[in-house]
Amino acid sequence: MTKNGNLIANNCDMSGVKPAMLELPYPPIQVKCRNREYAELLKVDYCGTVSELSAITQYINNQNRMSCEKCPLAKMILGIAVAEMMHLQKLGELIDLLGGEVDYAVMQPNGKQKLWTPAYLTLSGNIRKMLCAGIESEKAAIAQYRKHISIIRDDCVDAVLLRIIKDEEYHILLLQALMEDL
C-alpha cells in the first residue's frame, strides 16, 4: 500500500495467453531405440547454456519486468515462454525414452555433470535489449538443434527437433515485429 492507503496493482491480466507457436502438429514423441548419447545431446537442449529451460526463465523474467508498463508486449513474451515450456516437455519425454536422466544437469567433456544456472541468462531492464537477447537466443537454439540433428541418426527424434525449429523461427519473427513496434 502507498502512504495514503491506496493499493498498487498490476492490471495486466495474463489469463487466456496461448502458446506462441505455429499451428502445425508435432510428430509423435517416440524413438527408434534407447541411445544415451542422444539423450545427453538433448539434455543440452533441455537445460544447457542455450536451452529451453534458459529460454523459459529469461522470457518469464522479461514478461514480469514488462507487465506493468507494456501489457500487450508482456503477453506476447509470455506466449513465447509457454511455447518454450511445451518444447521442454517434449525434450524431457525424448530424453526419458532414449534412456537418459531427466534432470537439470548436462554432462561436460571432462565427464562431470554441470547443473543449470541462472548465470546462463541475459537479463536487462531495457525492453529493446530484452528483445535483442531473445532473438539471439532463438538463433543460437536453432543452430544448436541443427547441429544435434546432424549427429542424431533417429528420424523420430530429428522430426521433433525440426518441428521445434519451426517454432523458434516463428519466435524470431514475432520478436522482430515487437522491436519494430517500439
Side-chain angles (χ1 to χ4, degrees), residues 24-44:
L24 299 171
Y26 268 84
I29 305 299
Q30 57 191 18
V31 301
K32 287 184 179 177
C33 62
R34 289 185 175 273
N35 186 318
R36 291 188 61 79
E37 289 177 26
Y38 293 170
E40 288 301 320
L41 280 176
L42 293 184
K43 284 181 71 173
V44 172

Side-chain angles (χ1 to χ4, degrees), residues 4-179:
N4 61 7
N6 294 329
L7 294 176
I8 299 172
N10 179 355
N11 294 319
C12 185
D13 181 8
M14 295 293 168
S15 62
V17 171
K18 295 184 177 8
M21 52 197 310
L22 295 172
E23 291 191 28
L24 299 171
Y26 268 84
I29 305 299
Q30 57 191 18
V31 301
K32 287 184 179 177
C33 62
R34 289 185 175 273
N35 186 318
R36 291 188 61 79
E37 289 177 26
Y38 293 170
E40 288 301 320
L41 280 176
L42 293 184
K43 284 181 71 173
V44 172
D45 300 318
Y46 187 83
C47 65
T49 305
V50 174
S51 67
E52 299 297 339
L53 183 60
S54 293
I56 293 163
T57 308
Q58 186 162 305
Y59 284 131
I60 292 293
N61 182 277
N62 291 346
Q63 176 268 315
N64 282 318
R65 290 171 182 243
M66 294 175 191
S67 65
C68 288
E69 282 182 41
K70 303 272 188 186
C71 186
L73 181 62
K75 285 182 178 185
M76 179 57 70
I77 296 301
L78 181 59
I80 294 172
V82 173
E84 304 294 7
M85 289 176 203
M86 295 176 77
H87 298 163
L88 184 79
Q89 186 272 331
K90 291 174 186 322
L91 290 171
E93 285 186 36
L94 287 172
I95 292 165
D96 184 58
L97 291 173
L98 288 165
E101 189 69 33
V102 181
D103 56 21
Y104 297 113
V106 173
M107 186 68 69
Q108 300 297 296
N110 64 7
K112 293 184 179 180
Q113 296 276 333
K114 182 168 183 180
L115 287 173
W116 181 88
T117 171
Y120 294 159
L121 307 179
T122 302
L123 302 178
S124 174
N126 177 287
I127 292 176
R128 184 168 292 283
K129 287 181 180 178
M130 288 179 194
L131 297 175
C132 285
I135 291 168
E136 292 309 310
S137 296
E138 297 288 353
K139 288 178 179 178
I142 291 166
Q144 183 170 281
Y145 280 126
R146 287 189 175 133
K147 179 182 176 191
H148 290 168
I149 289 167
S150 75
I151 297 167
I152 295 171
R153 299 286 176 236
D154 183 322
D155 296 339
C156 300
V157 174
D158 289 345
V160 174
L161 299 183
L162 286 167
R163 176 59 188 84
I164 290 173
I165 286 172
K166 289 179 191 242
D167 283 340
E168 306 299 17
E169 291 170 337
Y170 179 57
H171 295 162
I172 291 171
L173 294 175
L174 292 173
L175 291 166
Q176 288 171 336
L178 292 172
M179 288 271 292

